[in-house]
Amino acid sequence: MKHIHRFKVYFGDTDAAGIVYYPNFYKWMDQASAELVAKAVLPTSRLYKEEKILLPLLEAFCKFQSPLFFEDIVDVHSEVTEINSKTFRVEHVFKREEEFIAKGYEIKAWTRKKEEKLKAEPIPNDIRKKLGFDVESTIS
C-alpha cells in the first residue's frame, strides 16, 4: 500500500534561520501514516471509536539530506514495507518536486484498548491484505 501526502511548509514550521525545524518531519510522517491507514482501512478516529484500536508509535527515525523552507510544497511518499504479528513499519520519502529531501520510518503497534489498558494484538488478515501484504508470508 502506497500513499502520497502533500503539504505546504508554513512560517511556523521554520526556525530563526528560515529552515524547517526537524521535529516537524516526525509530525509529517505521523500525518502521512494516518492518511495511509485511512485510505487502506479506516480513519484512525473511526478505528478507535468503532474497534477500540490504537496505533501507538514504537520507533521513529529520519535522515535529512536537504533542508526545506517556508512555502515549499512537499510530497511524502509513504508505504507499509513490513508487517509482523503485532507491528507494522511505514517508510517515508520526502520530496520537493523530484528533489530528495529526507527519508524515515515509523514502527507502529496494533493495539486494542480494554478496561483502560492497551494491549497489542495480532494484526487481522483482512487488514494485512488492505495494507498490501500476502497473509501467508507476513505472519511471524
Side-chain angles (χ1 to χ4, degrees):
M1 174 77 211
K2 295 181 182 181
H3 180 71
I4 298 174
H5 170 58
R6 175 170 279 182
F7 64 92
K8 182 178 181 178
V9 175
Y10 291 98
F11 182 76
D13 298 325
T14 64
D15 60 17
I19 298 170
V20 165
Y21 185 50
Y22 77 91
N24 287 306
F25 283 85
Y26 292 92
K27 172 183 76 174
W28 294 324
M29 286 193 300
D30 186 62
Q31 290 171 351
S33 288
E35 285 190 6
L36 184 149
V37 169
K39 181 179 174 185
V41 183
L42 280 176
T44 53
S45 60
R46 285 188 54 202
L47 267 176
Y48 178 68
K49 286 177 188 173
E50 296 173 15
E51 304 293 332
K52 299 298 184 223
I53 295 294
L54 293 167
L55 306 173
L57 181 66
L58 302 179
E59 184 177 328
F61 173 82
C62 192
K63 183 174 182 177
F64 310 100
Q65 176 77 28
S66 296
L68 288 173
F69 303 97
F70 176 51
E71 295 188 337
D72 280 346
I73 303 299
V74 183
D75 288 328
V76 183
H77 298 255
S78 303
E79 180 177 11
V80 176
T81 59
E82 184 179 328
I83 296 182
N84 294 309
S85 175
K86 299 176 183 180
T87 64
F88 63 99
R89 178 185 178 113
V90 183
E91 294 194 9
H92 307 280
V93 175
F94 290 80
K95 292 184 177 182
R96 176 181 43 228
E97 295 180 5
E98 291 303 311
E99 180 187 4
F100 173 78
I101 300 298
K103 66 179 177 179
Y105 69 85
E106 299 172 291
I107 296 177
K108 296 189 174 250
W110 188 266
T111 62
R112 186 176 303 275
K113 187 174 183 181
K114 290 183 181 178
E115 300 172 9
E116 301 307 312
K117 292 185 180 181
L118 292 177
K119 182 167 172 60
E121 60 180 44
I123 300 170
N125 288 341
D126 66 318
I127 301 301
R128 291 171 181 279
K129 288 179 185 175
K130 289 177 180 178
L131 293 173
F133 278 79
D134 176 23
V135 175
E136 299 295 318
S137 67
T138 60
I139 299 175
S140 57

